[in-house]
Amino acid sequence: MSDLILNAAVLGVGMHLGAWRHRPESPTSYVDLDFYREIARLAEDGRLHAIFLADTLAVSEENFERPNLGAMDPTTVLGALAAVTKHVGLVATATTSYSEPYNLARRIASLDHLSRGRAAWNIVTTFIPDVAANFSKAPLPPHAERYARAEEFVDIVTALWDSWEDGALVGDKASGLFADRARVHPVNHDGNFFAVRGPSTLPRSPQGRPILFQAGSSEQGRTFAARVADAIFAVQNTLPAAIAFRDDLRQRAEGFGRDPNSLKILPGLLPIIGGTEEEAQKRKKDLDELAGDAELRKLASRVGVAVSELDLDKPLPIDRIKANDRFNSSRGFQAAAVELATSGNLTVREILYRNGGGHPQVVGTPEQVADFIESWHRAGAADGFNVMIDEYPSGLRAFVGEVVPLLQKRGVFQKEYRGTTLRENLGLEKSNDTVRTQEQRRSNYA
């Protein structure tokens, strides 16, 4: 059993909100290319499948109190890393709510060609209301509208990626034939949100098309993911909920005529590692103290109540959370926090100890972290994990140097890369979709 997938998720200088004060390196590392180069080198040395870059289009979540968790444009950073890596995948987050399909399709395809087939797009629909004000006078659209736009957006992007058939780029110097025009097709899309003629300026991807990640956990998000995604960045905090989520997504994928094994479910996981439990707990305590009440405020935002309504030594106010019919943020994060709180009858303080920015948090030795990963994987709860490193580079160094060898020794994680493209390394077949008509595309989201 060696099909476990592990990605390093990069958010600022670490997922923990106290990381920038705890680490000895400069607080400005997150705008330094050498910082990302070291992460890429560590990830590739550890045979991790991909580097996963978050994105953000507003400053409100961090509010200038710490490095923004996604300040740098992911495709720009990953383009630079393509030149200094050979195997590790490059996952760029980009929103469908505040992008245009043609431009984004071109950016991701460019990254895929420059990396020789290692690019992926993490599809998000933007749930932070303050982002809207950076693009227009209109407020953040309702949840259903954001997903309706995303459905159409992704169909256009994939149609553009498919607009050049395999072999359309001929490059025959003797005959003078550069491209076979009969094998390059316009998209001619005219939908509810977009009009795009196409075709793409770039030939077909080395991996057929770049990998699609998606992170939705709502009812609409799950259906969307089951139809279009190759990998799901899941938000699940308990083993039973994670098993149910994976089973549900696989069943939905089958309903779309897909092989359920072609959908990889990757929950987030925040490990805080120490040589002993005491060392790990001290690292956690030191990080928490430096973060102040930032994690509490983030939890309040994620569940949709005021900070004043959260008492550290009392349970979450579940009735207040469920009664908030104006909640327009991430329903996945909200549901995961509620599930964790109710399944274990936890206080807010206990939730903060086990919930790392919305994801399960393991505070312990390398063996304990490896046990958690292996147990979830073997139980059918996860095909792998997006590892939310607490602090870069020390957290990744500990994970790669101490946890990965344990997983390799147990036979659950790869010792070498399977192929040359990200699609191959994830155990997915090359995409060979033919060009679809506008009517076929519209039937997907009409």
Side-chain angles (χ1 to χ4, degrees):
M1 185 177 186
S2 58
D3 58 345
L4 175 72
I5 296 167
L6 294 174
N7 302 323
V10 183
L11 299 99
V13 294
M15 180 64 182
H16 198 287
L17 300 179
W20 75 276
R21 297 181 65 191
H22 186 263
R23 60 198 295 275
E25 296 85 1
S26 169
T28 63
S29 295
Y30 72 109
V31 295
D32 188 331
L33 180 57
D34 288 342
F35 169 73
Y36 296 98
R37 283 175 174 163
E38 182 170 8
I39 291 172
R41 177 186 61 78
L42 286 168
E44 198 157 80
D45 285 350
R47 304 301 187 263
L48 301 190
H49 289 77
I51 303 163
F52 186 109
L53 260 63
D55 194 21
T56 186
L57 298 171
V59 299
S60 55
E61 276 211 311
E62 283 75 42
N63 198 28
F64 304 109
E65 296 176 352
R66 54 198 166 271
N68 198 296
L69 297 187
M72 297 279 275
D73 177 75
T75 54
T76 302
V77 174
L78 294 172
L81 298 185
V84 296
T85 56
K86 292 183 178 179
H87 303 287
V88 71
L90 306 169
V91 186
T93 299
T95 177
T96 57
S97 300
Y98 298 101
S99 302
E100 289 293 326
Y102 193 91
N103 287 345
L104 184 59
R106 183 168 177 255
R107 283 162 52 203
I108 301 296
S110 297
L111 178 62
D112 201 52
H113 280 284
L114 290 174
S115 64
R116 297 184 174 92
R118 293 185 283 130
W121 169 31
N122 177 42
I123 306 160
V124 296
T125 58
T126 298
F127 61 83
I128 301 172
D130 287 352
V131 169
N134 288 332
F135 290 87
S136 73
K137 295 180 180 180
L140 183 72
H143 180 272
E145 183 180 330
R146 297 201 304 270
Y147 270 97
R149 177 185 169 102
E151 293 267 6
E152 186 175 337
F153 192 115
V154 173
D155 279 333
I156 297 168
V157 168
T158 54
L160 287 165
W161 288 341
D162 292 339
S163 63
W164 289 60
E165 296 180 28
D166 287 327
L169 182 56
V170 179
D172 187 342
K173 293 182 181 181
S175 68
L177 180 63
F178 178 73
D180 183 351
R181 295 186 183 186
R183 303 177 76 176
V184 181
H185 309 276
V187 172
N188 290 331
H189 177 92
D190 186 7
N192 296 326
F193 295 92
F194 305 103
V196 178
R197 185 173 66 180
S200 171
T201 58
L202 289 166
R204 195 162 174 78
S205 159
Q207 52 184 342
R209 67 167 67 144
I211 295 290
L212 294 177
F213 278 70
Q214 201 269 342
S217 295
S218 66
E219 177 65 24
Q220 200 168 358
R222 292 185 186 208
T223 300
F224 178 44
R227 183 174 74 82
V228 306
D230 300 300
I232 308 298
F233 186 178
V235 181
Q236 299 297 328
N237 276 298
T238 68
L239 182 61
I243 293 172
F245 179 84
R246 183 170 181 262
D247 289 346
D248 178 53
L249 265 292
R250 288 165 64 86
Q251 184 175 11
R252 290 175 191 242
E254 282 189 292
F256 285 106
R258 300 181 60 188
D259 176 358
N261 293 315
S262 69
L263 190 62
K264 306 299 182 182
I265 310 300
L266 309 172
L269 169 65
L270 174 55
I272 298 182
I273 304 168
T276 64
E277 281 191 64
E278 291 74 20
E279 288 179 6
Q281 289 166 358
K282 183 180 186 305
R283 182 179 174 96
K284 162 73 171 165
K285 180 175 180 292
D286 291 346
L287 285 163
D288 285 350
E289 288 178 350
L290 292 170
D293 66 351
E295 288 286 1
L296 179 66
R297 285 185 278 119
K298 190 168 189 175
L299 177 63
S301 173
R302 290 287 168 84
V303 298
V305 298
V307 176
S308 60
E309 296 184 72
L310 298 181
D311 185 319
L312 286 173
D313 296 309
K314 291 183 179 180
L316 277 180
I318 302 298
D319 291 342
R320 283 282 300 113
I321 292 170
K322 291 183 177 180
N324 183 3
D325 56 6
R326 299 179 62 186
F327 184 76
N328 196 28
S329 190
S330 170
R331 298 182 184 180
F333 278 119
Q334 184 190 58
V338 169
E339 164 66 19
L340 177 64
T342 55
S343 65
N345 193 28
L346 303 179
T347 65
V348 171
R349 190 187 305 277
E350 290 168 330
I351 293 168
L352 291 174
Y353 191 84
R354 294 175 54 181
N355 181 290
H359 301 280
Q361 184 168 234
V362 179
V363 182
T365 64
E367 289 78 9
Q368 289 171 318
V369 174
D371 288 346
F372 180 94
I373 291 171
E374 184 180 6
S375 65
W376 275 46
H377 184 48
R378 290 191 181 279
D383 296 290
F385 292 89
N386 276 341
V387 184
M388 321 292 286
I389 300 299
D390 60 346
E391 174 188 311
Y392 280 105
S394 65
L396 181 59
R397 192 177 295 120
F399 186 83
V400 165
E402 300 174 39
V403 178
V404 166
L406 291 173
L407 295 169
Q408 291 171 330
K409 186 176 181 180
R410 298 177 188 186
V412 296
F413 189 62
Q414 63 188 9
K415 293 182 178 179
E416 296 297 337
Y417 287 102
R418 180 183 305 195
T420 58
T421 69
L422 179 56
R423 188 171 290 276
E424 289 174 306
N425 289 330
L426 293 178
L428 300 173
E429 294 183 1
K430 181 176 179 179
S431 173
N432 292 311
D433 282 3
T434 56
V435 177
R436 294 164 293 159
T437 66
Q438 177 174 288
E439 288 71 25
Q440 288 171 321
R441 291 195 304 275
R442 285 182 61 85
S443 70
N444 291 326
Y445 54 83

